[in-house]
Amino acid sequence: MFKLINYLLLIFCASLAAGQPMPDSLMTKYRLAKTDEEKHHFIYQYFQSSASEEDYKNRVLQLSAWYKKQNDALGADYADAHLADILNNKGDYAASLNLCFSILPRIENRTDKNQINSLYTTIGNAYFFSKNFEQGAFYYKKIIPLTSATDQKEYLSQLYNAIGCIYGEGGMPDSGMIYAQRAVNIDTEMKNFQQLALSTSTLGENYIAAKEYDIALPYLRRSMGYYLSKKAEPDSFLLAYLKNDFAQVFLANQQFDSTNFYANQSLQLSIPFGAKDQSMRSYEYLHKSYEQTNNQDSINKYFRLAMTLKDSLVDLEKVKNIQALSFREELRQQELETEKVKIEVERKTNIQLFLLKLKLIFNYF
Protein backbone atom coordinates (compact mmCIF):
# COMPACT_ATOMS: atom_id res chain seq x y z
CA MET A 1 0.00 0.00 0.00
CA PHE A 2 2.80 2.43 0.96
CA LYS A 3 4.61 1.69 -2.31
CA LEU A 4 1.40 2.40 -4.23
CA ILE A 5 0.86 5.70 -2.40
CA ASN A 6 4.47 6.81 -2.95
CA TYR A 7 4.28 5.80 -6.62
CA LEU A 8 1.07 7.80 -7.11
CA LEU A 9 2.66 10.82 -5.43
CA LEU A 10 5.70 10.51 -7.70
CA ILE A 11 3.47 10.34 -10.80
CA PHE A 12 1.56 13.42 -9.60
CA CYS A 13 4.72 15.47 -9.06
CA ALA A 14 6.09 14.40 -12.42
CA SER A 15 2.88 15.47 -14.12
CA LEU A 16 3.30 18.97 -12.71
CA ALA A 17 6.80 19.26 -14.19
CA ALA A 18 5.81 17.80 -17.56
CA GLY A 19 5.46 20.15 -20.49
CA GLN A 20 7.79 22.83 -19.12
CA PRO A 21 8.63 24.77 -22.28
CA MET A 22 11.76 26.64 -21.13
CA PRO A 23 15.09 24.79 -20.76
CA ASP A 24 15.80 23.71 -17.17
CA SER A 25 18.85 25.99 -16.90
CA LEU A 26 16.86 29.06 -17.90
CA MET A 27 13.87 28.12 -15.76
CA THR A 28 16.17 27.73 -12.75
CA LYS A 29 17.57 31.22 -13.34
CA TYR A 30 14.03 32.56 -13.67
CA ARG A 31 12.96 31.00 -10.36
CA LEU A 32 16.07 32.28 -8.56
CA ALA A 33 15.75 35.81 -9.96
CA LYS A 34 15.28 38.40 -7.24
CA THR A 35 13.59 41.16 -9.26
CA ASP A 36 10.87 41.46 -11.88
CA GLU A 37 13.44 42.90 -14.30
CA GLU A 38 15.64 39.81 -13.99
CA LYS A 39 12.71 37.47 -14.59
CA HIS A 40 11.67 39.47 -17.63
CA HIS A 41 15.24 39.29 -18.93
CA PHE A 42 15.29 35.48 -18.84
CA ILE A 43 11.91 35.19 -20.58
CA TYR A 44 13.04 37.70 -23.22
CA GLN A 45 16.28 35.74 -23.66
CA TYR A 46 14.31 32.56 -24.31
CA PHE A 47 12.11 34.23 -26.94
CA GLN A 48 15.11 35.92 -28.60
CA SER A 49 16.74 32.53 -29.20
CA SER A 50 13.82 31.39 -31.40
CA ALA A 51 14.90 29.78 -34.65
CA SER A 52 12.08 31.27 -36.73
CA GLU A 53 8.95 33.40 -36.53
CA GLU A 54 6.83 30.25 -36.21
CA ASP A 55 9.11 28.93 -33.46
CA TYR A 56 8.79 32.27 -31.64
CA LYS A 57 5.00 32.15 -31.88
CA ASN A 58 4.89 28.58 -30.55
CA ARG A 59 7.23 29.42 -27.67
CA VAL A 60 5.10 32.39 -26.65
CA LEU A 61 1.88 30.33 -26.78
CA GLN A 62 3.38 27.43 -24.85
CA LEU A 63 4.99 29.60 -22.19
CA SER A 64 1.82 31.63 -21.69
CA ALA A 65 -0.19 28.45 -21.14
CA TRP A 66 2.47 26.93 -18.87
CA TYR A 67 2.73 29.98 -16.59
CA LYS A 68 -1.05 30.14 -16.28
CA LYS A 69 -1.07 26.46 -15.32
CA GLN A 70 1.55 27.23 -12.66
CA ASN A 71 -0.47 30.24 -11.41
CA ASP A 72 2.56 32.44 -12.12
CA ALA A 73 0.82 35.74 -12.93
CA LEU A 74 4.07 37.61 -13.62
CA GLY A 75 5.37 35.06 -16.13
CA ALA A 76 1.95 34.76 -17.79
CA ASP A 77 1.67 38.55 -18.15
CA TYR A 78 5.14 38.79 -19.72
CA ALA A 79 4.30 36.03 -22.19
CA ASP A 80 0.93 37.61 -22.99
CA ALA A 81 2.64 40.93 -23.72
CA HIS A 82 4.56 39.12 -26.45
CA LEU A 83 1.29 37.58 -27.65
CA ALA A 84 -0.09 41.10 -28.07
CA ASP A 85 2.91 41.95 -30.28
CA ILE A 86 2.20 38.90 -32.43
CA LEU A 87 -1.44 39.98 -32.76
CA ASN A 88 -0.27 43.43 -33.90
CA ASN A 89 1.94 41.85 -36.55
CA LYS A 90 -1.03 39.80 -37.77
CA GLY A 91 -3.18 42.93 -38.02
CA ASP A 92 -5.57 41.96 -35.21
CA TYR A 93 -5.28 45.28 -33.39
CA ALA A 94 -8.52 44.95 -31.42
CA ALA A 95 -7.47 41.60 -29.94
CA SER A 96 -4.01 43.02 -29.18
CA LEU A 97 -5.50 45.97 -27.30
CA ASN A 98 -7.92 43.73 -25.37
CA LEU A 99 -5.02 41.56 -24.24
CA CYS A 100 -2.82 44.56 -23.37
CA PHE A 101 -5.50 46.26 -21.29
CA SER A 102 -6.24 43.02 -19.40
CA ILE A 103 -2.64 42.80 -18.14
CA LEU A 104 -1.80 46.53 -17.98
CA PRO A 105 -3.00 47.18 -14.37
CA ARG A 106 -0.84 44.37 -12.99
CA ILE A 107 2.25 45.37 -14.99
CA GLU A 108 1.88 49.03 -13.96
CA ASN A 109 1.91 47.92 -10.30
CA ARG A 110 5.22 46.09 -10.69
CA THR A 111 8.75 47.47 -10.57
CA ASP A 112 9.82 46.49 -14.10
CA LYS A 113 9.89 49.83 -15.94
CA ASN A 114 11.19 48.22 -19.13
CA GLN A 115 8.11 46.00 -19.30
CA ILE A 116 5.82 48.99 -18.73
CA ASN A 117 7.59 50.82 -21.59
CA SER A 118 7.30 47.77 -23.80
CA LEU A 119 3.57 47.38 -23.16
CA TYR A 120 2.88 51.08 -23.75
CA THR A 121 4.78 50.73 -27.04
CA THR A 122 2.65 47.74 -28.07
CA ILE A 123 -0.53 49.67 -27.26
CA GLY A 124 0.77 52.72 -29.13
CA ASN A 125 1.64 50.56 -32.14
CA ALA A 126 -1.84 48.98 -32.18
CA TYR A 127 -3.46 52.41 -32.26
CA PHE A 128 -0.95 53.73 -34.81
CA PHE A 129 -1.35 50.77 -37.19
CA SER A 130 -5.15 51.03 -36.92
CA LYS A 131 -4.96 54.78 -37.77
CA ASN A 132 -6.02 55.95 -34.30
CA PHE A 133 -3.21 58.48 -34.32
CA GLU A 134 -4.03 60.58 -31.26
CA GLN A 135 -4.45 57.50 -29.05
CA GLY A 136 -1.19 56.09 -30.39
CA ALA A 137 0.66 59.32 -29.58
CA PHE A 138 -0.93 59.35 -26.10
CA TYR A 139 0.62 55.98 -25.19
CA TYR A 140 3.96 56.79 -26.78
CA LYS A 141 4.05 59.95 -24.66
CA LYS A 142 3.46 57.93 -21.48
CA ILE A 143 6.89 56.36 -22.01
CA ILE A 144 8.73 59.71 -22.08
CA PRO A 145 8.93 60.34 -18.29
CA LEU A 146 10.11 56.77 -17.67
CA THR A 147 12.75 57.05 -20.39
CA SER A 148 13.89 60.56 -19.43
CA ALA A 149 14.45 59.42 -15.85
CA THR A 150 16.93 56.75 -16.98
CA ASP A 151 18.80 59.09 -19.37
CA GLN A 152 18.37 56.72 -22.31
CA LYS A 153 18.93 59.42 -24.92
CA GLU A 154 19.05 57.11 -27.94
CA TYR A 155 15.74 55.48 -27.02
CA LEU A 156 14.24 58.88 -26.17
CA SER A 157 15.18 60.12 -29.65
CA GLN A 158 13.53 57.09 -31.26
CA LEU A 159 10.43 57.78 -29.19
CA TYR A 160 10.28 61.45 -30.21
CA ASN A 161 10.75 60.43 -33.84
CA ALA A 162 7.90 57.89 -33.59
CA ILE A 163 5.58 60.53 -32.14
CA GLY A 164 6.66 62.97 -34.86
CA CYS A 165 5.93 60.31 -37.47
CA ILE A 166 2.51 59.47 -36.05
CA TYR A 167 1.47 63.14 -35.96
CA GLY A 168 2.74 63.67 -39.50
CA GLU A 169 0.80 60.69 -40.87
CA GLY A 170 -2.24 61.73 -38.84
CA GLY A 171 -2.34 65.17 -40.44
CA MET A 172 -1.21 67.01 -37.30
CA PRO A 173 2.12 68.46 -38.52
CA ASP A 174 2.28 71.33 -36.01
CA SER A 175 2.61 68.78 -33.21
CA GLY A 176 4.72 66.45 -35.36
CA MET A 177 7.34 69.15 -36.02
CA ILE A 178 7.86 69.68 -32.29
CA TYR A 179 8.65 66.04 -31.58
CA ALA A 180 10.65 65.47 -34.77
CA GLN A 181 12.78 68.51 -33.93
CA ARG A 182 13.41 67.13 -30.42
CA ALA A 183 14.64 63.90 -32.01
CA VAL A 184 16.88 65.86 -34.39
CA ASN A 185 18.33 67.84 -31.46
CA ILE A 186 19.21 64.70 -29.47
CA ASP A 187 20.66 62.92 -32.52
CA THR A 188 22.76 65.98 -33.38
CA GLU A 189 24.06 66.23 -29.81
CA MET A 190 24.98 62.54 -29.81
CA LYS A 191 26.33 62.68 -33.40
CA ASN A 192 24.18 59.64 -34.12
CA PHE A 193 24.00 59.99 -37.90
CA GLN A 194 22.04 56.77 -38.36
CA GLN A 195 19.15 58.13 -36.34
CA LEU A 196 19.73 61.68 -37.56
CA ALA A 197 19.05 60.61 -41.14
CA LEU A 198 15.69 59.25 -40.02
CA SER A 199 14.64 62.07 -37.67
CA THR A 200 15.62 64.73 -40.24
CA SER A 201 13.43 63.06 -42.87
CA THR A 202 10.55 62.84 -40.35
CA LEU A 203 10.86 66.58 -39.78
CA GLY A 204 10.78 67.13 -43.54
CA GLU A 205 7.72 64.89 -43.88
CA ASN A 206 5.85 67.00 -41.33
CA TYR A 207 6.56 70.09 -43.41
CA ILE A 208 5.21 68.17 -46.42
CA ALA A 209 2.05 67.40 -44.39
CA ALA A 210 1.79 71.15 -43.70
CA LYS A 211 2.23 71.81 -47.45
CA GLU A 212 5.37 73.85 -46.74
CA TYR A 213 7.31 72.15 -49.50
CA ASP A 214 10.14 74.69 -49.83
CA ILE A 215 10.99 74.20 -46.14
CA ALA A 216 10.66 70.41 -46.41
CA LEU A 217 13.10 70.05 -49.31
CA PRO A 218 16.31 71.06 -47.44
CA TYR A 219 15.53 68.56 -44.69
CA LEU A 220 15.04 65.78 -47.24
CA ARG A 221 18.35 66.72 -48.90
CA ARG A 222 20.11 66.73 -45.55
CA SER A 223 18.73 63.27 -44.79
CA MET A 224 19.85 61.97 -48.19
CA GLY A 225 23.27 63.53 -47.60
CA TYR A 226 23.85 61.35 -44.54
CA TYR A 227 23.22 58.26 -46.68
CA LEU A 228 25.30 59.45 -49.66
CA SER A 229 28.25 60.33 -47.41
CA LYS A 230 28.03 56.85 -45.80
CA LYS A 231 27.54 58.42 -42.38
CA ALA A 232 24.29 56.45 -42.21
CA GLU A 233 23.52 53.04 -43.68
CA PRO A 234 20.12 52.99 -45.40
CA ASP A 235 17.87 50.01 -45.92
CA SER A 236 15.86 49.68 -49.11
CA PHE A 237 12.54 50.63 -47.52
CA LEU A 238 13.81 53.84 -45.90
CA LEU A 239 15.53 54.94 -49.08
CA ALA A 240 12.47 54.15 -51.23
CA TYR A 241 10.34 56.13 -48.77
CA LEU A 242 12.73 59.11 -48.86
CA LYS A 243 12.90 59.17 -52.67
CA ASN A 244 9.09 59.17 -52.76
CA ASP A 245 9.18 62.15 -50.38
CA PHE A 246 11.28 63.98 -52.99
CA ALA A 247 8.83 62.97 -55.72
CA GLN A 248 5.91 64.26 -53.62
CA VAL A 249 7.59 67.65 -53.09
CA PHE A 250 8.56 68.08 -56.74
CA LEU A 251 5.05 67.11 -57.85
CA ALA A 252 3.57 69.77 -55.56
CA ASN A 253 6.04 72.30 -57.01
CA GLN A 254 5.13 71.19 -60.58
CA GLN A 255 8.68 70.06 -61.33
CA PHE A 256 7.55 67.01 -63.25
CA ASP A 257 10.91 65.77 -64.60
CA SER A 258 12.25 65.63 -61.04
CA THR A 259 9.03 63.95 -59.88
CA ASN A 260 9.44 61.22 -62.49
CA PHE A 261 13.14 60.79 -61.71
CA TYR A 262 12.67 60.21 -57.97
CA ALA A 263 9.50 58.14 -58.34
CA ASN A 264 11.32 55.79 -60.74
CA GLN A 265 14.33 55.62 -58.42
CA SER A 266 12.00 54.67 -55.57
CA LEU A 267 10.48 51.91 -57.73
CA GLN A 268 13.93 50.44 -58.37
CA LEU A 269 14.22 49.89 -54.63
CA SER A 270 10.66 49.08 -53.62
CA ILE A 271 9.81 46.49 -56.31
CA PRO A 272 12.69 44.03 -55.55
CA PHE A 273 12.16 44.61 -51.82
CA GLY A 274 8.42 43.95 -52.12
CA ALA A 275 7.37 47.26 -50.52
CA LYS A 276 4.01 47.46 -52.26
CA ASP A 277 2.83 50.55 -50.39
CA GLN A 278 5.84 52.52 -51.63
CA SER A 279 5.48 51.13 -55.18
CA MET A 280 1.85 52.23 -55.23
CA ARG A 281 2.88 55.64 -53.95
CA SER A 282 5.42 55.96 -56.81
CA TYR A 283 2.86 54.91 -59.44
CA GLU A 284 0.40 57.49 -58.14
CA TYR A 285 3.00 60.28 -58.34
CA LEU A 286 3.93 59.21 -61.90
CA HIS A 287 0.27 59.06 -62.92
CA LYS A 288 -0.39 62.56 -61.54
CA SER A 289 2.81 63.91 -63.09
CA TYR A 290 2.01 62.62 -66.59
CA GLU A 291 -1.56 63.81 -66.15
CA GLN A 292 -0.22 67.35 -65.83
CA THR A 293 1.84 67.00 -69.02
CA ASN A 294 -0.98 65.28 -70.98
CA ASN A 295 1.03 62.13 -71.72
CA GLN A 296 -1.98 59.85 -72.21
CA ASP A 297 -0.10 56.55 -72.66
CA SER A 298 1.83 57.06 -69.43
CA ILE A 299 -1.28 58.27 -67.62
CA ASN A 300 -3.07 55.00 -68.47
CA LYS A 301 -0.02 52.85 -67.72
CA TYR A 302 0.66 54.19 -64.23
CA PHE A 303 -3.01 54.48 -63.31
CA ARG A 304 -3.44 50.76 -64.10
CA LEU A 305 -0.31 49.85 -62.15
CA ALA A 306 -1.44 51.91 -59.16
CA MET A 307 -4.92 50.36 -59.18
CA THR A 308 -3.52 46.83 -59.55
CA LEU A 309 -1.30 47.35 -56.53
CA LYS A 310 -4.14 48.92 -54.58
CA ASP A 311 -6.27 45.83 -55.24
CA SER A 312 -3.32 43.65 -54.27
CA LEU A 313 -2.94 45.51 -50.97
CA VAL A 314 -6.66 45.11 -50.28
CA ASP A 315 -6.34 41.35 -50.95
CA LEU A 316 -3.28 41.25 -48.69
CA GLU A 317 -5.30 42.93 -45.95
CA LYS A 318 -7.99 40.27 -46.38
CA VAL A 319 -5.36 37.54 -46.02
CA LYS A 320 -4.05 39.22 -42.87
CA ASN A 321 -7.58 39.36 -41.48
CA ILE A 322 -8.03 35.63 -42.13
CA GLN A 323 -4.68 34.90 -40.49
CA ALA A 324 -5.67 37.06 -37.52
CA LEU A 325 -8.95 35.17 -37.14
CA SER A 326 -7.08 31.86 -37.33
CA PHE A 327 -4.63 32.98 -34.68
CA ARG A 328 -7.46 34.21 -32.46
CA GLU A 329 -9.08 30.77 -32.77
CA GLU A 330 -5.74 29.19 -31.88
CA LEU A 331 -5.66 31.33 -28.74
CA ARG A 332 -9.23 30.31 -27.91
CA GLN A 333 -8.34 26.63 -28.24
CA GLN A 334 -5.30 27.21 -26.05
CA GLU A 335 -7.48 28.79 -23.38
CA LEU A 336 -9.80 25.77 -23.49
CA GLU A 337 -6.82 23.44 -23.18
CA THR A 338 -5.44 25.50 -20.29
CA GLU A 339 -8.79 25.23 -18.53
CA LYS A 340 -8.78 21.45 -19.04
CA VAL A 341 -5.26 21.23 -17.61
CA LYS A 342 -6.31 23.39 -14.65
CA ILE A 343 -9.24 21.07 -13.93
CA GLU A 344 -6.94 18.04 -14.21
CA VAL A 345 -4.37 19.61 -11.86
CA GLU A 346 -7.12 20.34 -9.33
CA ARG A 347 -8.33 16.73 -9.63
CA LYS A 348 -4.81 15.41 -9.06
CA THR A 349 -4.34 17.79 -6.14
CA ASN A 350 -7.48 16.42 -4.54
CA ILE A 351 -6.17 12.88 -5.09
CA GLN A 352 -2.87 13.90 -3.53
CA LEU A 353 -4.59 15.32 -0.48
CA PHE A 354 -6.72 12.20 -0.18
CA LEU A 355 -3.66 9.94 -0.41
CA LEU A 356 -1.81 12.00 2.16
CA LYS A 357 -4.75 11.63 4.51
CA LEU A 358 -4.70 7.87 3.91
CA LYS A 359 -1.00 7.79 4.65
CA LEU A 360 -1.53 9.66 7.91
CA ILE A 361 -4.30 7.25 8.88
CA PHE A 362 -2.09 4.21 8.15
CA ASN A 363 0.80 5.76 10.09
CA TYR A 364 -1.53 6.44 12.98
CA PHE A 365 -2.60 2.80 13.16
Side-chain angles (χ1 to χ4, degrees):
M1 173 62 82
F2 291 118
K3 284 184 180 180
L4 175 61
I5 291 172
N6 289 331
Y7 174 74
L8 289 172
L9 288 173
L10 181 64
I11 291 295
F12 173 77
C13 293
S15 70
L16 290 178
Q20 175 181 301
M22 285 176 74
D24 288 340
S25 58
L26 208 56
M27 186 58 74
T28 299
K29 290 178 180 179
Y30 172 83
R31 285 171 173 151
L32 294 176
K34 296 179 180 179
T35 65
D36 293 349
E37 289 90 338
E38 288 178 357
K39 290 188 173 185
H40 181 215
H41 169 74
F42 293 125
I43 294 174
Y44 181 76
Q45 186 179 345
Y46 173 62
F47 290 149
Q48 282 293 98
S49 65
S50 302
S52 64
E53 184 178 342
E54 186 67 18
D55 180 39
Y56 167 67
K57 184 197 78 171
N58 289 335
R59 288 187 182 200
V60 172
L61 285 169
Q62 290 168 7
L63 203 60
S64 172
W66 191 82
Y67 278 128
K68 287 170 184 174
K69 185 173 72 174
Q70 302 302 311
N71 292 318
D72 185 335
L74 184 141
D77 286 346
Y78 283 171
D80 281 350
H82 284 266
L83 273 181
D85 263 332
I86 293 173
L87 286 163
N88 267 350
N89 292 335
K90 291 186 176 296
D92 198 345
Y93 310 123
S96 176
L97 288 170
N98 284 336
L99 186 56
C100 286
F101 289 133
S102 71
I103 63 178
L104 182 59
R106 292 190 296 275
I107 285 181
E108 284 181 325
N109 286 329
R110 295 186 184 122
T111 60
D112 188 353
K113 301 302 180 186
N114 289 330
Q115 182 59 31
I116 295 172
N117 286 353
S118 178
L119 196 63
Y120 285 159
T121 300
T122 301
I123 295 171
N125 288 344
Y127 280 124
F128 185 12
F129 299 156
S130 60
K131 309 299 183 185
N132 290 294
F133 297 113
E134 290 196 49
Q135 282 292 91
F138 173 78
Y139 277 94
Y140 286 153
K141 286 179 185 178
K142 286 172 74 73
I143 308 170
I144 292 173
L146 300 171
T147 304
S148 301
T150 57
D151 197 32
Q152 298 178 46
K153 287 188 175 181
E154 185 173 339
Y155 182 51
L156 187 59
S157 164
Q158 293 169 355
L159 190 57
Y160 284 145
N161 185 73
I163 297 171
C165 181
I166 202 172
Y167 276 133
E169 288 202 26
M172 296 171 276
D174 289 344
S175 298
M177 290 173 198
I178 294 170
Y179 285 95
Q181 186 64 63
R182 289 177 184 176
V184 168
N185 293 344
I186 294 174
D187 296 337
T188 302
E189 178 190 340
M190 296 178 65
K191 296 182 179 179
N192 188 330
F193 297 109
Q194 191 67 43
Q195 287 193 186
L196 192 54
L198 186 59
S199 57
T200 302
S201 67
T202 301
L203 187 54
E205 286 154 10
N206 274 278
Y207 279 108
I208 292 174
K211 302 187 185 306
E212 297 184 45
Y213 303 110
D214 291 339
I215 300 176
L217 193 56
Y219 287 111
L220 301 183
R221 284 176 173 153
R222 191 184 305 173
S223 178
M224 184 64 76
Y226 293 126
Y227 294 131
L228 293 175
S229 65
K230 305 296 184 183
K231 288 183 177 179
E233 187 67 31
D235 61 34
S236 295
F237 178 78
L238 289 178
L239 209 51
Y241 202 112
L242 182 58
K243 288 178 183 290
N244 267 333
D245 287 342
F246 276 104
Q248 186 177 0
V249 168
F250 287 125
L251 179 64
N253 288 336
Q254 298 188 324
Q255 294 173 259
F256 302 119
D257 287 344
S258 295
T259 301
N260 300 344
F261 174 78
Y262 280 103
N264 278 303
Q265 280 210 331
S266 181
L267 284 170
Q268 291 174 20
L269 294 162
S270 61
I271 291 175
F273 185 67
K276 291 185 177 182
D277 58 334
Q278 291 308 306
S279 296
M280 186 177 73
R281 193 178 164 201
S282 299
Y283 291 142
E284 287 177 343
Y285 295 151
L286 287 165
H287 162 250
K288 291 176 182 177
S289 174
Y290 285 118
E291 197 171 40
Q292 294 296 317
T293 55
N294 295 313
N295 187 328
Q296 193 60 48
D297 289 342
S298 294
I299 292 171
N300 294 335
K301 173 185 176 182
Y302 290 110
F303 178 77
R304 285 196 306 270
L305 287 168
M307 289 302 100
T308 300
L309 261 186
K310 191 171 186 178
D311 290 341
S312 174
L313 287 170
V314 169
D315 289 340
L316 183 62
E317 192 64 28
K318 289 179 182 176
V319 171
K320 283 182 70 176
N321 288 338
I322 292 170
Q323 289 176 339
L325 288 171
S326 298
F327 186 65
R328 192 181 291 192
E329 175 60 18
E330 192 173 347
L331 286 177
R332 192 182 73 84
Q333 291 297 334
Q334 184 210 60
E335 288 171 2
L336 291 174
E337 187 61 32
T338 301
E339 187 62 27
K340 287 180 184 178
V341 170
K342 184 178 178 181
I343 292 170
E344 181 64 14
V345 168
E346 288 175 355
R347 186 184 69 82
K348 289 180 178 179
T349 301
N350 291 333
I351 292 173
Q352 182 190 32
L353 292 172
F354 174 72
L355 293 173
L356 286 173
K357 286 179 181 178
L358 279 180
K359 190 173 183 180
L360 288 172
I361 290 168
F362 277 110
N363 286 341
Y364 179 78
F365 287 106

